[in-house]
Amino acid sequence: MCALVVGVLAASAPVLPAQAFVPVQVASSGTQPPTDPLVGAPGLGDPYYPDDGNGGYHVEHYAVAIDYDPPTRTLTGTARLSAVSTQPLREFDLDFNGPAVQQVTVDDLPAGFASAGKHKLVITPALPILPGLPFTVTVRYSGIEADTPDAGWTISPSGGAFAAGEPHSAATWYPLNDTPLDKATFDLTVTVPRQWQVVSNGMRIRDEVNGPKRTVQWATRHPTLGYLTTVAIDHFEFLNQRRADGTPLISAFAPQAGSRKALERRLPEVLDFLESLYGPYPFESGGGIYVDTDLHFSLETQTRPIYAPWTDLNTVVHENTHQWWGDSMSVRHWSDVCLNECFASYTADYLWPERKEGKDVDAQYRMTIAKLRDNPKFWAIPLQNPGAGREFTAVYYRGPLFLHALRHLIGDGVFFPAVARFVQSHADGRASMPEFRRFVQDTTHTDLSGFFAAWLDASTPPPDRYLYPGSLHA
Ligand SMILES: [Zn+2]
């Protein structure tokens, strides 16, 4: 994700970050593990969002079909989840706060269901599920979608809609195990009135008009997470491009976003650049979704980021860096979000300007430090484990400084191969900040423990030897 304010900070202006603009779901602290060993734990223990997900199964594939009528905002959906139980289950839950649920089946047998809390759908199968076995859950739901800008289903100026929000958004339009610990493949079939267009993640498998209706199917071959899935329904114009290796790049432009086509034409160049840093592009397709809604952020939805109207080249580089750092390799817990945002911001704010535009980024770094080292607010939020509700703050404005200092400390010849190997070795998986620290430490004889503690754990400026390592020393 990239916020509008980030660009200002990236330009080294002495502006302090605005408060996190993302509506924060306050983590409830009252989640207790169930005493019943046959009930999947309601929440997987994320330190910031302990209620997210369920401990009794993991999902392998989502097949979601929705019928959406823009004029009435009526969404009728069927979500079929292919899952594997990790324990005996007489009850489990999904995360869902979308339209009213009408029917749930487990292995095609009617199951009991009830809503609980803000986003839980508790399901009681007719027969308990044995541990280690595959099972399917089908949820049918229908109703009028609420407009939840920045946090899920969002109505666009034309009356269309799209889904976007981090860390939560998917539960507003389909039921899922909404945790970074459970990646799954995802395909989506959308039926709309024929004059509307539909774009989503991955590859477009079909686009058919039958009478008054259009049905479009999109599918991803790589596992993904809820907030990285999206659907957008609008009167889109499309731009079709290809990378030199043939990878299709499909981009969509809402009615007032057509002027962004020239920007999106640079996507092949952006992906080539990122590939030179981080290894092969991790997905089978790419592109972008340029909305014309007054959105406060752009978001790295998998293969096809959603771009707010203020998007510029920096944003395109940032969201596409996330395809490696955040999407293919996702966080283990939300406290690891520096893996996503420190790298996306460093790549867009430092590496692209340095390598593609000839900017003196060492000077940019020194100027930023000179302006902000004595400002306690700038250092107040740690990069690693920033705290629930503060995870989308310091990682944008201090993350690039951390990585630039690390690069100077260990040298380009160690830094670049190490970060590329790290992200590639976790493709289609997940990683944590502690793993990253161990991995980088293993690549060098330099003891990094003091450096990492000063830059990642502290909430005060690092000492000079860590602020100005190597040739950064004035
Ligand atoms: Zn980001």
Side-chain angles (χ1 to χ4, degrees):
M1 178 161 61
C2 174
L4 181 53
V5 69
V6 171
V8 177
L9 287 159
S12 305
V15 178
L16 276 178
Q19 289 301 307
F21 52 89
V22 180
V24 171
Q25 179 186 336
V26 177
S28 83
S29 54
T31 303
Q32 298 293 329
T35 51
D36 188 333
L38 301 184
V39 175
L44 267 178
D46 185 272
Y48 298 173
Y49 304 101
D51 295 340
D52 288 0
N54 186 270
Y57 60 88
H58 65 85
V59 180
E60 298 196 325
H61 181 69
Y62 294 90
V64 176
I66 62 172
D67 187 310
Y68 187 67
D69 182 53
T72 62
R73 302 184 186 176
T74 302
L75 187 151
T76 299
T78 302
R80 188 173 174 88
L81 286 64
S82 303
V84 177
S85 57
T86 54
Q87 63 171 74
L89 286 174
R90 68 168 183 78
E91 181 183 301
F92 59 93
D93 63 52
L94 299 171
D95 297 288
F96 187 52
N97 54 9
V101 174
Q102 299 177 318
Q103 185 195 48
V104 177
T105 63
V106 175
D107 288 334
D108 298 320
L109 293 174
F113 62 91
S115 293
K118 285 183 180 168
H119 60 92
K120 288 295 187 187
L121 175 65
V122 179
I123 296 171
T124 310
L127 300 170
I129 298 165
L130 296 174
L133 292 184
F135 65 101
T136 59
V137 185
T138 303
V139 180
R140 296 181 206 284
Y141 48 103
S142 184
I144 296 174
E145 271 286 2
D147 187 14
T148 54
D150 297 346
W153 199 262
T154 306
I155 306 300
S156 70
S158 68
F162 62 91
E166 182 182 6
H168 305 107
S169 54
T172 61
W173 62 287
Y174 68 93
L176 74 159
N177 195 25
D178 199 7
T179 161
L181 296 176
D182 199 4
K183 301 180 88 159
T185 49
F186 176 80
D187 71 62
L188 176 68
T189 304
V190 182
T191 300
V192 289
R194 62 180 296 160
Q195 68 270 29
W196 294 86
Q197 309 285 335
V198 180
V199 63
S200 178
N201 313 96
M203 302 284 280
R204 184 165 45 201
I205 307 300
R206 72 177 160 127
D207 186 348
E208 295 169 357
V209 172
N210 290 305
K213 297 279 193 176
R214 175 188 302 275
T215 297
V216 188
Q217 186 176 3
W218 292 82
T220 57
R221 285 204 298 267
H222 294 267
T224 186
L225 295 175
Y227 82 98
L228 298 173
T229 64
T230 192
V231 61
I233 298 159
D234 217 315
H235 299 299
F236 286 120
E237 275 186 75
F238 286 92
L239 172 66
N240 294 298
Q241 304 179 90
R242 281 190 186 274
R243 300 194 62 211
D245 67 3
T247 303
L249 307 175
I250 303 172
S251 304
F253 301 83
Q256 304 302 316
S259 64
R260 300 309 169 108
K261 273 187 190 164
L263 173 62
E264 185 69 353
R265 285 202 174 90
R266 298 193 69 176
L267 180 59
E269 178 191 0
V270 169
L271 294 177
D272 287 351
F273 174 70
L274 297 174
E275 199 167 81
S276 76
L277 295 170
Y278 303 128
Y281 177 67
F283 300 120
E284 70 273 35
S285 67
I289 303 170
Y290 288 76
V291 299
D292 56 10
T293 301
D294 182 24
L295 199 61
H296 296 105
F297 58 88
S298 292
L299 183 63
E300 62 269 25
T301 37
Q302 191 154 307
T303 67
R304 202 156 284 114
I306 287 187
Y307 294 116
W310 43 264
T311 286
D312 58 11
L313 182 60
N314 177 282
T315 317
V316 173
V317 175
H318 181 110
E319 304 308 341
N320 281 289
T321 303
H322 277 311
Q323 302 305 312
W324 286 258
W325 298 90
D327 291 20
S328 177
M329 180 190 79
S330 44
V331 292
R332 188 173 296 281
H333 296 298
W334 286 107
S335 48
D336 299 313
V337 73
C338 178
L339 279 182
N340 295 7
E341 302 302 345
C342 295
F343 275 93
S345 297
Y346 184 56
T347 307
D349 301 351
Y350 278 73
L351 296 177
W352 181 277
E354 176 188 28
R355 301 283 175 91
K356 301 289 286 188
E357 297 166 350
K359 295 265 173 66
D360 182 350
V361 293
D362 287 355
Q364 175 179 320
Y365 173 93
R366 288 192 193 96
M367 190 170 71
T368 306
I369 296 289
K371 281 179 178 169
L372 294 163
R373 75 174 296 169
D374 295 327
N375 187 331
K377 279 188 182 170
F378 186 76
W379 306 93
I381 299 174
L383 289 177
Q384 182 172 324
N385 198 8
R390 306 197 303 180
E391 62 270 48
F392 300 107
T393 54
V395 287
Y396 296 107
Y397 54 83
R398 227 169 57 244
L401 304 178
F402 154 62
L403 287 173
H404 200 59
L406 174 62
R407 172 185 165 193
H408 276 271
L409 180 65
I410 64 181
D412 282 9
V414 176
F415 176 84
F416 285 105
V419 299
R421 274 210 319 282
F422 183 78
V423 75
Q424 287 176 59
S425 66
H426 294 89
D428 289 338
R430 62 183 73 87
S432 68
M433 283 299 288
E435 289 170 82
F436 177 74
R437 287 164 76 147
R438 284 195 297 273
F439 188 94
V440 177
Q441 180 61 79
D442 286 346
T443 66
T444 175
H445 295 299
T446 306
D447 179 5
L448 301 177
S449 53
F451 175 89
F452 280 145
W455 271 102
L456 297 175
D457 303 330
S459 47
T460 52
D464 271 9
R465 66 184 182 282
Y466 300 140
L467 275 180
Y468 300 106
S471 59
L472 280 176
H473 190 68

